[in-house]
Amino acid sequence: AGTERIEEFLDALWGNGAPRTYNENLSIIKDFFRFQIMRGRLHGDPTLLIERARSRQIYRTTFSTDQRRAIITEQPDLRDRLCLRLLLDYGLRKGALMAVQFKHFDHQRRRLTIFTKGQKVREMPLPHRGFWHDLEHHILDVGAQPSDYLLCTQRTIPRVGVRRYPAKPMSGHAAHDWWYRCLATAGIVAPGTTSGERMHKSRHTAGQRVLDATGNLKAVQKLLGHASIQTTGDIYADW
């Protein structure tokens, strides 16, 4: 009955979690019993018949054209519109956006150097003239220095207004709240909502937008920076 008891234990603790979490804990338990067998304390392994959890089918969603337009255009702050374009048009990850400094923009070549997942560094072409026009206006408006962060920390102080801390990047939690404030301003979610529309959805939106316009899956792979085109086709874009 050992196999049944262990399966009940795994299901009770991690059955409703992600398949990856279930499999990690199953591996730990398998190692435990393997160790006992090697020491001669057990004659059989009750985990041999327990199968690994299968990955769930991916449920992919994207913002519609009207939603994307509203998310960008309804923001009163030019800084926010620039950041949202990097998310929704160019597919930057949350961490990459938080790391963008003004010195990373190459105005002459229209490139942005981004630092992204897995310590990767790559150049992102930003071909739209309007983006650079708005960026230059924002730099002049705030007197941005090369080492300042685009998505810097901002705090609203009573009787003073919004105070910027340009040398301090926004934290992950603050960026999460900022994203949902932008969605609420655009009418995508109700005010006060903090879940249900993850920032990563903008990355899927950017990839799908390029695929719909070009039909070129390789272009989407280059945009999103995937090492494998299989990741692009199977996970990020609806072919």
Side-chain angles (χ1 to χ4, degrees), residues 215-229:
N216 189 338
L217 193 62
K218 190 68 177 179
V220 182
Q221 179 197 0
K222 291 297 185 182
L223 172 77
L224 300 179
H226 293 149
S228 170
I229 198 169

Side-chain angles (χ1 to χ4, degrees), residues 55-70:
S55 298
R56 296 174 185 146
Q57 189 174 5
I58 296 166
Y59 178 61
R60 181 192 306 108
T61 60
T62 59
F63 292 108
S64 69
T65 301
D66 289 341
Q67 286 177 324
R68 172 199 157 272
R69 185 181 298 113

